[in-house]
Structure formats: structure tokens, C-alpha cells
Amino acid sequence: MEKDVITTSTSMVSLPELFSQTTFAVLDCIHAAKAVIAQTKNFERFSNFMEKITLILKELSKSNANDSESLRNGLAILNVEVKVVKQLADECGTRNKVYLLINCRKILKQLENSTKEISQALKFIPLASLDDLRTINKVTRLCKDLVEAEYSPCTGETTILEKIESGLRERNVDRCFVNDLFVLIAERIGIPSEHLAMKKELEELKADIRGSKPRISMTEARRMEQIIELLEMGDVMASSEEKAKRYQLERDSLGTQPFLALQSFYCPITMDIMVDPVEISSGRTFERSAIERWFADGNKERIAKEDYALESIVKSVARQIKESKLAIELLLLSSDDAQASRASRELLDNLSFLDQTVIEMAKANFFKPLLHLLSWGPDNVRLLMAKTLSEIEFTDHHKLSLVKDGGALGPLLQLLSHDNLGMKTVAVKALKNLSSLPQNGLQMIKEGALGPLFDILYRHSLSSPSLREQVAVVIMHLAKSTNAPASDDEQISLLESDEDIFKLFSLISFTGPDIQRNILEAFCAMCQSSSGPDIRAKLRQLPAVQVLVQLCEINNQTVRVRTSAVKLFYCLTVDGDDISFQDHVGQRCIQTLLKIINSSTDEEEISAAMGIISNLPNTIQITQWLLDSGALDTIFSFITDGNRNTSNKKLGIEDAARALRRFTVSTNKEWQRKVAEAGFIQVLVQLLVSGTSLTKHYAAISLKQFSESSASMSQPLKKTRAFICCFAASETGCQVHQGICTVESSFCILEANAVDPLVRTLEDGDLGAREASLDALLTLIDNERLQSGCKVLDKVNAIPPIIKLLSSTSNNLQEKALGALERIFRLPEMKQRYATLAQMPIVDITQRGSSGMKSMAAKVLAQLNVLGEQSSYF
């Protein structure tokens, strides 16, 4: 059903202002949708729809869409609905998490309704009045997607809602049911499933319901009260003392009558009904006297195996004393809170006499006993502890704690220098596990880990191939850590001398694929570190390029080595032209790189290969090899392949656009013709619209180089005999070049519809993109094309953005813009139209600019009759 729209308010504003208001409303809605704490995936999907709408609004606002009542109605509906969703999103970002979970279906239904209403709003847009088929297709496709959009709770939420409905329907559920429900809710909303956290959450829910009662129906308010009553039945809402008291009261109320107890009343050890229950942190409850007997009988190992109890106990001990009270009482039978700290130490002493218990403690993230044995235990125990460190999957926090606070590094480095190969092996594996955290890698370098690691790596006879492979991984981790900022701002290098670099790189030629790959990755990391320029220069002095070219050509069975080689090869090319590339990069290498781009499935490898192509020395021979090897087809396919949409793809497109510049130089029109005939000019225009700032920069450079050739490539108009002119319409030439222009024959940027995107790029945030776009536009007013070119620039509203560049932070841009305006203001009609707009920025340059700029600015002010010809500024 279409929504009635009151147009009186929207009719009071201009259509551009209405577009602006609507766009801001949509952006506000997107911002709110991204801040929700519930239904994040569903709101993310909605945000994706809204982002597409912002693009459509932007295109519509720049089109020649008629100012119709239908269009205004559509924008009005869109305004209303996005504000509705924004309010919904605001609630989902601030209200109680349990409330949002319970009401998720209602929330998603509201979101779905608004989505469909927005679809109806888009249908008001009079598509027939648009002349841009692409925009029409976008609107039509988006309308269909919005109509078909459905938002659903996840499986976990559905399970919780079904249990709530079951509980409300049955009305006789037991505490076990509610306790299980509480655990599900806690896991879903991301809070601990323990007494205080859940009690706080329920109190907030009750306050939320009280606050919302004036805005909700009595039916909904009653339903929420019933849900709260249900949740309050759970044991989780009571403290341990309250639960014990409640249990005793219920048991006493039955007197001596036999009864069928709930399963949760039975002790897992004795399988009898508990009289004095004790709860541990995992939520399991045991009979206190049974625990005492177990300890008296020396059954600590058995209790440790019961339901992962030891892991839960150790986690509790690792917390604050208050939280660890129950766990300590369970094992030491202490009831005095003041003794908790001493009891914790006694607990650890009692438990750490068994190596396996110490390992279980470490797995539960309590490391002190393990680290003690790693430092002071006998060799067989130290080996076992190091093996444990190599096998546990630690979080980054615990990795840092082990090295920074726990002192694990010193003992491991001692084992690394041990004569026993087994000791070395477990030490290397433990270091590999811990070194993946950059902070730890830096600390290992500082404490001298590299010496013994290199000793193992270089001494083939004293170590096994598998051990050397593990060492190579550690060295790769350490190399990557040099890219991380050190806490004391100290710049740390992995390799200090030329000899170190040579020795490590030389291993690539004498080792297997796994070691090769890790050494290549290590050099990639070093090349991107603070010492990267020195490392890259030294590698280029070695036969590194020759080795890498050979590795790029290896077969697919060791493709991971090839990928790492291509990435390092790219690193060595980023500093510009180098003779080493000309010595080792021939047509075969170029063909290999193009084959990688065409056939690889690794996005990083493809992007690196494209980067090498763009960075190769800009010589005629290399450019011709690229053309002969089909580089244009490869680059075209890469840029226009819509299946790739990753950060690597964006970097690759930047490099592809950069590579195109070598083929578009105006000094070689044959190359330009090949590029134009391949369809690249239209692609370059599209890159101006949708590319990154760097891509726009390179695309504008190529368009500028094409445009430099247009005047000489434009075909003159055929002269028509006088008597024929009387009977036939005269042929109209290009507005700027005055001849017959096409995209492929004269590379005309007017015919390519590149002028509008170039004007928009003048306001891009990147200075390079602005300058390149300005250079391209100024080719339209070169030499005798001043008057015709200015008319075109005026028509597309390019002159105000050029004037804005006078206030740029770039002196180069300021100077180019000022020079352009000096030419433009030679035309009286241009001076009349834009003098007022340009006057103050030019005056500012006379006050703040360099001496050369001041003189030029004064000259332009004289053109505008602001300064006299004899001014002191000249």
C-alpha cells in the first residue's frame, strides 16, 4: 500500500536542497545502523542498501531529472522511512541487551517494513525522464532487492525465543530449565553467566520496561512482566548462600516424605541428594563432605578429571580473591575470606607436584608453576614444559604475558643452545608459537635469539631438515616484528651487515621449498621495515633479481615459493629504475609475469606481479616487449574483472593504471592508438569515477597525454562547395579541436565524456589526483584553443573548482591554477563572470605567496582591474 505524502513541506525547498536533506538523513541512518549492539548483521545488510541509495541520490542530483511532484513524493517517503529506521537503530544501540534479544522478531519486522516502504519510495522516481541507462538499471535492480529483502533472527536467538515461549506456555518449568535459558541468553548477549552480571542485566531490563510502559501496549507490557517472572525463577539470580538456603527450605518442606528430586540436586560424586552443596566456577555443584573424603583419600587427580573441574578451579584462582573464594574452599575447605590469598598459594603448591597437573594449569592460563619448572626443573621436565608451550594455542594477551612478565624467553634460549637435539627442537617450536606476536619478536631480537637460530639454520650437519624449517619460520616471524612499532621507539634491524644479508639470501638457492618460502617472506618484511631502503639496495647489488626471476618461473607444485618470490621481486622494484632489472628482465620474464596475472589464484601474487610491471624501467625496449607479449589485454582484463573486490585488487588496479602511463605518452602516437583501440580510454574515464585517489591520479595523467595528441589527430572538416551548402546542413566539428574527433581516432577527452569526471576530481582529497586532473583539463585551452576550450570549461562549471585550487596547500597546484586563470581571464566574458569569485584568493596570494607567485597574482589582478599596471607588486 502506497503511503500518503504531504508535499507542502517539501515544496517549500528547492530540489537540490531536498536531495541534500535526504542524503544527510540516509547517512545519519547508516551511521546509526553501524552502531547497533543487536542484530548487527541484519542492520549491516540494511546499511549496504542505504549506501547504494546514497550513490543513486548523488547521480540523480547531478542529472537532469525533472523537478516533478512524483520525484518529490519519493524523496519525502525516503526521508520519513530512514528516520524511522534511524530511531529503531538508536534503540538497538542503547537499550538493554536482553530486551533487544526478546524483541528481535519485532525489531526485524519493523526493519523489513521500512525496507519495503523505501522500495516504494524509489518507484516514485520518474525513470523515463533520465537519460542515463546505468542509473535507471541501478534504481530498478535496487527496488527489486529491497522488495525481496528479509531479515531473520539467527539460530541461537530463535532457540532462546522458543524456550521463552515454551516456559510461558507450560507455566510449571523447573529451575534447571530457567538456568539453561540463562546460560543461552548470557552467551548470546556476551556477558558472563554468573550471578552478579546476570542480576545486573535483569535489573536493567526491569528498569527498561518501566521506562517504556507509556509507549507500549498493555498486552506487550504484560508479556514482558511474565518473561521477567520466568527469569527470576532461575538459580543464577541468587547467590550461593541464597541457593543453599532455598534448597534447604524446599527439602525441609517435604518432611520425611520420599520425593523424586530434580537431577541438579544430586552430587556428581556420590550420586546422592546433597545436604551441604558447594558450587564451583563452572556451575557444577558437589556435596561438601564428599569432596572432603576425596581429598582425604588422595583423589585430587580424580576431582581434576570431573567435568573439567581443575580448569575451572584454576581460572577462578587466577581471578581476584573474592571471585576465587568458592574454588579455594572446594579444594582446601577454608571458610575464612581473609585466608583466601594464602589458601591460593597453598592450592598451587599442593597441585603442582604432578607434572600433568602443571600442564593442565597452563592450559587453563595459569603459568607460574610451568615457568618455574621450565627454569629449574630437571632436563626431562624442562623438555616437557617447553613442549607444552609449543602446543598450547595462546591468545595474544597470554603470549605477551609469558614473555614480558613470565620470563619464558630466558629458559627457552638456554634450551636453544643445548647440545641435545630434542631440547633444541622443542625450544624452537615454543619460540615459533610465541614469536608470532610482534612484541615478542622484538624482545627475542633484543635478547639475542638470532645468534643460536642462525647457528642451527646454517649448520646443516648438526640439525635435521624439519628443525631448520621450524627455525626459518621463527626468523620470518622476527623479521615481520621489525615492522611493528617498538615501545621505546627504538628501530630494530634483523640483519646488520652485508655479510648477514648475503648469507641468509644465499640459503634460498640451497634449501627446500619450505625454508625458501620463509626466507623470502622474511626479506619481504625487512624490505618494508624502517631499514627497508638499505636492505633493498643491498639485495639489488647481489644477484637477487636473477634468483627471483628464476623462482618466478618455477612450476606450480611449489607455487607458494613463487608467490613469495614475486612479492620480494616487487619490493625491490619500488625504488624506481635500476640497471639490475635491465640486466635480468627480458621478454621471457615479462611473459612469465603476465602469465601469473592471468592464471594465478593468489590475489597477493597477482597484485605484486602487476606492481612489477608498473615499476619496470621506462625504456622503449621494455615497453615494446610488454606490447608484444599482450600486456594491454592482460591489464584490460585485470581492471575490468568485476569478480575481484579485495584490498589487493585495489592496489593492483592502482599499479595497472600506473603501468598504462608508459603506453600513452604523446611522443608515440602508435602506442597511443593501440591503447585507444583496445578500449582503454573509456576504462580510464570509469577509473576517474570509481577508483582510489591514486588510481584517479594515474588515469588523469594518461588522459592528459592522450589529450595532448588530439589537436594533431583531429580530422579537418571537409570543405563543401558553395552551391551544395545551400541545400545541406554543414558538418559540425569538435567544440575544442574544430575538426572531426572520435575517442579512438583522435583520443578526444570531450568525445570520451571525460571532462565532467576530471572536473569532479579537482575536488578530490588527494593533491596528486587534483593536479593531474587540472593538467588534463588545461590541454583544452592550449595555444589557439583558448576561446573554444574556455567555453567548454565554463559549460561544465570547471572554472570555480580551478579558482578553489588557489587556496590549496600545494604551491605547485596554486601556481598551475593561477597560470590557468591568467589565460582564462584574457577573455572578457570569462573575466566578467568569474572576477568576483577569484579576486580574494588571488589577493591572498599577493600577501602570502612566494615572490614569483606574488608577481603572477599581481598580473592577474591587473587583468581584473584591481591593481594598476605600475603597482609595486610587479
Side-chain angles (χ1 to χ4, degrees):
M1 179 179 176
E2 292 186 356
K3 180 174 289 190
D4 294 330
V5 180
I6 301 175
T7 60
T8 52
S9 60
T10 60
S11 63
M12 300 299 293
V13 298
S14 66
L15 186 61
E17 179 62 22
L18 185 55
F19 269 118
S20 178
Q21 290 176 2
T22 309
T23 301
F24 279 121
V26 174
L27 292 174
D28 281 346
C29 182
I30 292 172
H31 179 74
K34 290 182 177 180
V36 297
I37 58 174
Q39 301 304 321
T40 52
K41 289 186 177 179
N42 285 308
F43 274 99
E44 181 182 359
R45 187 179 177 204
F46 177 82
S47 295
N48 291 336
F49 289 140
M50 292 301 99
E51 287 171 353
K52 292 178 181 178
I53 287 178
T54 60
L55 298 177
I56 289 172
L57 289 174
K58 186 176 180 181
E59 292 179 12
L60 284 171
S61 66
K62 294 179 179 179
S63 70
N64 295 320
N66 294 330
D67 187 350
S68 64
E69 182 179 353
S70 175
L71 178 58
R72 285 178 175 270
N73 285 349
L75 294 175
I77 293 176
L78 184 57
N79 251 303
V80 169
E81 290 302 332
V82 295
K83 288 174 181 175
V84 169
V85 177
K86 180 184 182 299
Q87 183 177 355
L88 183 66
D90 286 340
E91 291 187 357
C92 289
T94 57
R95 297 198 70 167
N96 175 264
K97 293 179 181 179
V98 180
Y99 175 88
L100 296 174
L101 173 59
I102 293 169
N103 289 278
C104 65
R105 285 187 175 133
K106 175 185 172 185
I107 291 167
L108 295 180
K109 188 61 179 176
Q110 292 175 355
L111 185 62
E112 195 170 298
N113 290 339
S114 289
T115 301
K116 287 176 170 51
E117 289 293 337
I118 289 170
S119 172
Q120 294 299 319
L122 293 182
K123 290 180 180 178
F124 277 96
I125 296 172
L127 300 181
S129 66
L130 300 178
D131 56 3
D132 186 349
L133 182 60
R134 187 177 57 178
T135 302
I136 294 173
N137 290 337
K138 283 183 181 178
V139 175
T140 305
R141 190 183 315 114
L142 184 56
C143 281
K144 181 176 182 296
D145 291 343
L146 291 169
V147 168
E148 296 175 352
E150 293 181 355
Y151 306 103
S152 304
C154 69
T155 304
E157 292 166 339
T158 302
T159 301
I160 291 170
L161 296 177
E162 289 174 352
K163 285 183 73 71
I164 289 174
E165 293 303 323
S166 173
L168 295 178
R169 188 171 55 250
E170 298 296 332
R171 295 182 178 277
N172 61 348
V173 297
D174 60 25
R175 288 193 183 87
C176 288
F177 176 92
V178 181
N179 290 343
D180 290 343
L181 176 59
F182 258 124
V183 171
L184 291 175
I185 291 174
E187 288 177 352
R188 185 62 209 162
I189 65 176
I191 64 169
S193 56
E194 52 91 21
H195 167 63
L196 292 178
M198 285 304 300
K199 189 168 186 177
K200 178 184 176 185
E201 202 68 33
L202 191 58
E203 291 301 326
E204 290 179 357
L205 173 63
K206 289 155 78 172
D208 198 327
I209 298 302
R210 286 194 299 270
S212 63
K213 273 188 177 180
R215 305 189 302 275
I216 62 176
S217 66
M218 292 182 61
T219 303
E220 184 179 353
R222 178 55 188 151
R223 178 176 177 275
M224 292 304 301
E225 289 173 357
Q226 290 172 340
I227 292 174
I228 290 173
E229 290 171 2
L230 173 68
L231 295 176
E232 286 181 328
M233 292 175 60
D235 281 336
V236 179
M237 295 311 302
S239 65
S240 300
E241 292 80 5
E242 290 170 339
K243 283 187 279 186
K245 185 177 180 181
R246 180 191 292 170
Y247 170 84
Q248 193 64 48
L249 287 173
E250 291 184 6
R251 191 177 187 283
D252 292 345
S253 68
L254 295 172
T256 58
Q257 299 178 14
F259 66 97
L260 184 62
L262 297 175
Q263 185 63 38
S264 59
F265 288 3
Y266 288 94
C267 173
I269 300 174
T270 66
M271 298 311 297
D272 293 329
I273 297 173
M274 292 178 287
V275 175
D276 187 8
V278 177
E279 181 186 25
I280 66 172
S281 63
S282 67
R284 292 299 301 272
T285 306
F286 298 87
E287 176 65 66
R288 184 185 297 270
S289 61
I291 296 293
E292 293 175 1
R293 285 195 302 274
W294 275 48
F295 272 94
D297 295 339
N299 284 316
K300 288 179 186 177
E301 292 178 70
R302 289 185 64 192
I303 188 67
K305 295 175 182 176
E306 171 60 36
D307 194 33
Y308 305 102
L310 180 59
E311 179 178 348
S312 299
I313 293 166
V314 175
K315 284 182 177 178
S316 293
V317 173
R319 298 191 190 113
Q320 295 186 16
I321 293 174
K322 213 170 190 179
E323 298 177 21
S324 66
K325 176 175 177 285
L326 288 176
I328 297 168
E329 282 185 345
L330 172 62
L331 294 178
L332 299 177
L333 313 177
S334 169
S335 60
D336 187 354
D337 289 352
Q339 296 177 359
S341 177
R342 180 174 57 82
S344 298
R345 291 192 296 271
E346 185 179 347
L347 166 67
L348 297 180
D349 289 339
N350 289 340
L351 290 177
S352 61
F353 71 96
L354 290 173
D355 294 342
Q356 189 57 42
T357 304
V358 171
I359 292 171
E360 293 301 322
M361 285 181 175
K363 290 179 180 177
N365 301 324
F366 196 86
F367 307 115
K368 186 176 178 182
L370 181 145
L371 293 171
H372 175 78
L373 292 177
L374 182 67
S375 297
W376 307 106
D379 279 357
N380 64 321
V381 174
R382 294 173 71 199
L383 185 146
L384 182 61
M385 298 302 117
K387 183 173 183 290
T388 301
L389 287 179
S390 72
E391 293 174 346
I392 297 178
E393 293 185 11
F394 299 111
T395 64
D396 286 351
H397 170 75
H398 290 124
K399 286 181 183 179
L400 184 62
S401 174
L402 281 164
V403 171
K404 183 178 179 182
D405 305 319
L409 193 53
L412 289 175
L413 293 181
Q414 289 179 3
L415 294 181
L416 196 63
S417 302
H418 202 283
D419 293 336
N420 182 277
L421 184 61
M423 288 289 200
K424 289 181 185 288
T425 301
V426 294
V428 168
K429 289 181 178 179
L431 289 173
K432 183 181 81 169
N433 196 5
L434 298 175
S435 64
S436 60
L437 185 69
Q439 297 98 309
N440 285 354
L442 291 174
Q443 190 62 32
M444 290 177 190
I445 296 173
K446 289 179 181 178
E447 296 196 21
L450 283 169
L453 287 171
F454 281 139
D455 190 50
I456 296 172
L457 189 63
Y458 294 142
R459 298 175 72 179
H460 302 246
S461 59
L462 299 182
S463 57
S464 66
S466 61
L467 176 57
R468 296 175 71 227
E469 289 170 6
Q470 299 284 342
V471 169
V473 175
V474 179
I475 290 173
M476 181 265 290
H477 286 166
L478 300 188
K480 289 186 175 181
S481 73
T482 62
N483 288 330
S487 57
D488 55 1
D489 294 328
E490 179 185 356
Q491 299 300 332
I492 299 176
S493 299
L494 192 74
L495 304 175
E496 298 293 342
S497 67
D498 293 0
E499 182 182 358
D500 291 338
I501 295 172
F502 174 78
K503 283 179 67 177
L504 184 58
F505 190 85
S506 65
L507 281 181
I508 294 172
S509 301
F510 306 108
T511 53
D514 287 329
I515 295 180
Q516 281 181 322
R517 181 174 56 84
N518 283 300
I519 293 177
L520 289 167
E521 291 287 339
F523 274 109
C524 281
M526 287 185 279
C527 284
Q528 298 170 63
S529 68
S530 59
S531 58
D534 289 337
I535 297 287
R536 295 194 296 268
K538 289 170 183 176
L539 285 176
R540 286 193 295 267
Q541 293 169 8
L542 300 175
V545 175
Q546 182 179 0
V547 172
L548 294 174
V549 168
Q550 292 170 353
L551 290 175
C552 289
E553 297 172 353
I554 62 178
N555 60 52
N556 288 333
Q557 291 179 340
T558 48
V559 69
R560 294 174 69 190
V561 173
R562 187 189 73 185
T563 298
S564 301
V566 172
K567 287 161 61 178
L568 181 56
F569 191 176
Y570 169 67
C571 289
L572 299 189
T573 67
V574 298
D575 298 314
D577 290 1
D578 191 275
I579 192 170
S580 60
F581 303 129
Q582 298 181 51
D583 291 342
H584 302 294
V585 176
Q587 189 165 9
R588 179 180 174 183
C589 176
I590 287 172
Q591 290 170 343
T592 298
L593 292 170
L594 294 174
K595 182 179 179 181
I596 290 171
I597 297 170
N598 290 328
S599 62
S600 176
T601 57
D602 188 303
E603 293 290 347
E604 287 190 5
E605 182 182 35
I606 294 170
S607 180
M610 184 63 76
I612 296 170
I613 295 293
S614 72
N615 290 333
L616 288 176
N618 199 4
T619 66
I620 293 175
Q621 185 180 49
I622 289 180
T623 303
Q624 193 61 53
W625 280 338
L626 285 164
L627 287 170
D628 295 342
S629 301
L632 289 182
D633 289 340
T634 298
I635 293 172
F636 188 89
S637 297
F638 181 85
I639 294 176
T640 57
D641 182 2
N643 293 325
R644 295 191 180 113
N645 189 21
T646 64
S647 57
N648 288 319
K649 167 71 172 179
K650 291 180 180 178
L651 293 174
I653 289 180
E654 289 175 353
D655 286 326
R658 183 166 181 257
L660 276 175
R661 298 178 309 164
R662 70 162 68 232
F663 305 110
T664 62
V665 290
S666 55
T667 54
N668 195 317
K669 293 182 175 57
E670 183 58 33
W671 290 352
Q672 285 186 320
R673 182 177 286 106
K674 288 184 178 182
V675 177
E677 289 174 350
F680 270 105
I681 294 181
Q682 292 88 342
V683 170
L684 290 168
V685 174
Q686 182 57 42
L687 292 179
L688 275 180
V689 174
S690 59
T692 65
S693 292
L694 199 55
T695 298
K696 292 177 182 179
H697 178 190
Y698 297 140
I701 290 174
S702 284
L703 288 170
K704 174 238 181 187
Q705 293 177 164
F706 273 123
S707 188
E708 287 173 337
S709 300
S710 295
S712 61
M713 301 292 286
S714 181
Q715 297 296 313
L717 293 173
K718 294 180 181 179
K719 293 185 178 180
T720 308
R721 290 163 60 183
F723 73 94
I724 296 178
C725 290
C726 297
F727 301 98
S730 60
E731 190 173 19
T732 304
C734 173
Q735 298 175 62
V736 172
H737 305 114
Q738 308 301 312
I740 300 173
C741 282
T742 68
V743 175
E744 292 186 2
S745 67
S746 63
F747 327 134
C748 178
I749 61 176
L750 268 73
E751 290 294 322
N753 295 318
V755 177
D756 279 334
L758 285 168
V759 172
R760 289 197 294 273
T761 308
L762 288 178
E763 299 184 274
D764 191 275
D766 181 73
L767 293 176
R770 290 184 185 182
E771 184 172 349
S773 296
L774 179 62
D775 288 340
L777 289 169
L778 295 185
T779 60
L780 300 178
I781 60 173
D782 278 349
N783 304 320
E784 70 278 4
R785 294 180 293 282
L786 177 60
Q787 185 155 9
S788 59
C790 282
K791 287 182 180 180
V792 170
L793 294 182
D794 183 36
K795 184 178 179 181
V796 298
N797 203 27
I799 297 175
I802 293 175
I803 292 173
K804 282 185 181 179
L805 295 179
L806 294 173
S807 303
S808 170
T809 56
S810 165
N811 290 334
N812 207 32
L813 257 180
Q814 278 187 326
E815 188 170 356
K816 285 187 177 183
L818 193 59
L821 291 171
E822 187 277 328
R823 286 180 51 75
I824 291 169
F825 288 155
R826 294 176 191 177
L827 304 177
E829 62 270 29
M830 296 294 107
K831 183 165 61 174
Q832 182 178 359
R833 291 196 61 178
Y834 297 106
T836 303
L837 184 64
Q839 181 175 320
M840 289 310 299
I842 298 174
V843 169
D844 189 62
I845 290 175
T846 65
Q847 303 295 318
R848 305 172 188 273
S850 62
S851 58
M853 289 273 284
K854 286 180 179 179
S855 177
M856 186 185 297
K859 183 178 180 181
V860 178
L861 288 176
Q863 283 180 292
L864 301 179
N865 300 321
V866 176
L867 288 178
E869 296 290 343
Q870 303 303 318
S871 170
S872 61
Y873 282 106
F874 289 101

